[in-house]
Amino acid sequence: MNRKLIEFKENIKGKKVAVLGIGISHIPLIKYLYRLGVDITAFDKSDENKLKDVIDQFSGMNIKYSLGEDYLKNLKGFDIIFKTPGMRFDLPELEEARRNGSQVTSEMEVFFELCPAQIFAVTGSDGKTTTTTLIYKMLVEQGYNCWLGGNIGTPLLDRIDEINETDKVVLELSSFQLHTMKRSPHVAVVTNLAPNHLDVHKSMDEYVEAKKNIYLHQTGNDKLVINFDNDITRDFINDAKGKVVYFSRINKIDSGAKMKGNMLVYSDGKEEKEIINADDIVIPGVHNIENYLAAIAAVIDYVEIDTIRKVATTFKGVEHRIELVRELNGVKFYNDSIASSPSRTIAGLNSFKQKVILIAGGYDKKIPYDVMGEVLVNKVKCLVLIGQTAPKIEQALLKEIERTGKGKDIPIIHCDTLKEAVEKAYESSKSGDIIIMSPASASFDMFKNFEERGKQFKDIVNSL
């Protein structure tokens, strides 16, 4: 019996609740709260016309709305406020609401309070979704009843009644979700950290501090898995509360998940176990070896080595992550829409042995792009640019050309739309070439999210 859930239902019934943002996670949240007898007002910056399809889902439910540019002006007199993850916690309207007695929380914070099952959670700048998916698949293959959610796209609070103590919950958590968290998972994984989301976070320090909440509230019985090869995450051991396990692809570590030659191995400091040869892993790229090492370190106490091997030799990857779309006249098209930062794109380009035609650019998150210069010179034969960050990516290439003298023959093509970019890239190709869309940027200047961008890319490629 989940006593915390019973108390939550009793306490929230009849309460006046505001839900800020009518997005993926909040649609099921609103429906769930309504079933519990809550007085709900839904807030969103979009107007009624844009939200018609969403509002239609609430037909017959007594939901009130505050919509449009000034939607937060009515944020007064609520008992509980559910904030959407991308919204800063210190907005003046939220600060005033707290002063007036409102409890400001989030779908994920409440889920952590109520979940009876063991939680595995993954955060980082790159590799979160693949590592989360690997952990989930390994646990499922081992026979556990598992739940996958969080930033990976599936909210779970409305399913809390179905989750049992013996289940396993696997979550991908963003810095936005973690920023105000007061609880941490039983097994926390930090894949790596690099500048990201500086359009929302006030500084890199704030971004890192938000990420730290994935482990700062752990106990001595919990586990923290961190990347020894990353300068930032390596030092997390200093304020870790639980057992720390490192993973490393390039450094020698006494214990943890590591490489020994071409073999992924795990050592507990006493015994070393061979897991799998890197050549047997289906999904390409050294960054995916790192994702596997992180996942192995997380699940090694819960699954058998044969289970890990079965997943590694059969799992073909997550959609929008170096996803082969089609081959046309000898030209291969890859969709890497998930690459919303320079480090992701660098990892994607380094997955290929040959130079590629790169389609890049998108929404500007106010992060530096100079770090891309070297990989652009060494791995790109033609650069096709779109979106707000196109000038920054071009400058990264030009600076590296000026510095090294290499890459002077790389064509740079500017386009207004993704369709034009795909067509220009294909016109520039010949049989044997690889064309990859790996934007190094967020999608919000042209698309709702990276999934929509990736699907449009695939539609355009498949229509060629």
Side-chain angles (χ1 to χ4, degrees):
M1 182 183 294
N2 190 340
R3 295 191 180 279
K4 288 183 179 178
L5 180 58
I6 293 170
E7 290 175 7
F8 170 78
K9 290 180 177 181
E10 290 174 350
N11 291 335
I12 202 167
K13 187 174 183 180
K15 290 281 174 61
K16 193 174 180 184
V17 173
V19 178
L20 310 186
I22 314 176
I24 292 173
S25 64
H26 282 177
I27 293 171
L29 173 65
I30 289 170
K31 292 178 178 177
Y32 181 65
L33 293 175
Y34 181 77
R35 292 198 300 271
L36 298 182
V38 174
D39 179 3
I40 303 170
T41 302
F43 292 69
D44 202 283
K45 197 171 186 177
S46 298
D47 60 30
E48 193 170 351
N49 290 330
K50 288 183 179 179
L51 292 169
K52 184 180 183 304
D53 290 344
V54 175
I55 292 173
D56 285 348
Q57 295 186 47
F58 304 136
S59 178
M61 298 165 60
N62 186 25
I63 307 295
K64 296 182 277 293
Y65 298 94
S66 178
L67 308 175
E69 285 295 324
D70 297 324
Y71 71 114
L72 291 180
K73 69 179 182 181
N74 300 316
L75 196 61
K76 296 172 183 174
F78 290 94
D79 299 302
I80 302 171
I81 298 171
F82 282 85
K83 176 184 77 68
T84 194
M87 177 180 286
R88 283 199 62 89
F89 67 94
D90 55 0
L91 283 178
E93 294 88 348
L94 291 178
E95 295 284 25
E96 183 181 357
R98 288 188 188 93
R99 287 193 297 270
N100 291 329
S102 297
Q103 177 192 349
V104 180
T105 187
S106 68
E107 183 259 347
M108 188 54 66
E109 287 179 71
V110 173
F111 178 79
F112 262 77
E113 290 175 13
L114 302 179
C115 181
Q118 187 177 34
I119 299 177
F120 294 68
V122 180
T123 196
S125 297
D126 305 318
K128 293 190 299 295
T129 302
T130 298
T131 304
T132 304
T133 305
L134 290 176
I135 291 170
Y136 172 76
K137 286 188 171 294
M138 290 172 186
L139 291 169
V140 169
E141 187 64 36
Q142 188 63 38
Y144 294 103
N145 188 45
C146 294
W147 302 82
L148 178 67
N151 197 50
I152 208 163
T154 308
L156 291 177
L157 183 57
D158 65 314
R159 308 291 300 278
I160 192 72
D161 296 75
E162 304 168 51
I163 299 175
N164 298 309
E165 286 184 19
T166 54
D167 296 350
K168 305 291 183 192
V169 172
V170 187
L171 303 171
E172 176 190 327
L173 298 179
S174 69
S175 59
F176 306 141
Q177 288 165 314
L178 286 165
H179 210 159
T180 54
M181 290 287 281
K182 300 295 187 291
R183 292 176 182 269
S184 296
H186 304 93
V187 179
V189 180
V190 187
T191 58
N192 49 59
L193 283 177
N196 207 346
H197 299 301
L198 299 185
D199 56 326
V200 177
H201 290 289
K202 291 179 178 178
S203 66
M204 181 63 183
D205 286 343
E206 185 187 88
Y207 173 63
V208 172
E209 289 304 311
K211 292 289 194 182
K212 283 184 175 182
N213 278 326
I214 198 167
Y215 70 88
L216 286 179
H217 310 290
Q218 286 187 316
T219 69
N221 297 321
D222 298 327
K223 179 160 75 168
L224 169 62
V225 175
I226 45 181
N227 187 345
F228 189 86
D229 301 338
N230 185 271
D231 291 340
I232 299 173
T233 59
R234 184 168 55 244
D235 292 335
F236 283 3
I237 191 172
N238 295 326
D239 46 15
K241 306 293 193 300
K243 176 187 176 184
V244 174
V245 178
Y246 284 121
F247 70 92
S248 172
R249 181 178 62 84
I250 58 178
N251 285 289
K252 289 184 178 180
I253 55 176
D254 293 331
S255 61
K258 56 186 178 178
M259 296 299 295
K260 192 171 183 179
N262 209 40
M263 183 69 67
L264 283 74
V265 303
Y266 184 86
S267 171
D268 61 5
K270 299 175 183 177
E271 182 185 5
E272 193 168 88
K273 300 175 183 177
E274 290 190 348
I275 308 295
I276 190 168
N277 191 298
D279 293 337
D280 294 330
I281 295 174
V282 173
I283 51 177
V286 293
H287 61 297
N288 280 316
I289 290 175
E290 293 172 359
N291 293 335
Y292 265 97
L293 290 170
I296 289 165
V299 304
I300 194 70
D301 300 323
Y302 303 91
V303 305
E304 296 167 1
I305 291 174
D306 285 346
T307 300
I308 297 172
R309 288 176 185 150
K310 184 172 182 181
V311 172
T313 54
T314 57
F315 175 56
K316 296 180 179 179
V318 182
E319 188 181 15
H320 309 302
R321 289 149 185 85
I322 319 182
E323 174 192 7
L324 178 62
V325 180
R326 77 181 289 201
E327 184 173 342
L328 177 63
N329 296 323
V331 178
K332 290 182 178 178
F333 292 82
Y334 285 86
N335 165 30
D336 195 31
S337 185
I338 185 63
S340 59
S341 66
S343 54
R344 281 182 185 266
T345 294
I346 290 168
L349 295 178
N350 283 329
S351 299
F352 298 97
K353 294 179 180 178
Q354 69 186 77
K355 289 192 173 187
V356 304
I357 297 169
L358 172 65
I359 300 171
Y363 175 77
D364 191 355
K365 294 192 286 185
K366 312 300 181 188
I367 57 180
Y369 281 81
D370 288 351
V371 67
M372 289 186 68
E374 184 178 355
V375 77
L376 292 175
V377 162
N378 293 325
K379 287 288 190 177
V380 173
K381 63 184 294 184
C382 177
L383 181 60
V384 183
L385 294 170
I386 58 173
Q388 296 173 0
T389 59
K392 287 187 172 183
I393 298 170
E394 181 179 24
Q395 279 303 306
L397 173 58
L398 294 177
K399 283 182 182 177
E400 188 67 11
I401 292 172
E402 183 179 353
R403 188 181 73 84
T404 64
K406 297 193 299 183
K408 293 178 181 178
D409 58 341
I410 299 174
I412 302 173
I413 303 171
H414 286 267
C415 299
D416 294 324
T417 65
L418 181 57
K419 185 174 187 295
E420 181 188 1
V422 173
E423 290 169 350
K424 293 291 185 185
Y426 186 50
E427 288 172 14
S428 304
S429 70
K430 64 180 188 298
S431 180
D433 277 344
I434 288 171
I435 297 173
I436 180 170
M437 179 189 68
S438 188
S441 314
S443 58
F444 309 125
D445 57 338
M446 296 181 179
F447 307 96
K448 185 169 65 176
N449 50 43
F450 77 84
E451 292 97 340
E452 182 182 83
R453 176 171 63 189
K455 285 172 182 173
Q456 285 202 25
F457 174 76
K458 292 197 286 186
D459 288 344
I460 295 165
V461 168
N462 286 321
S463 69
L464 290 174

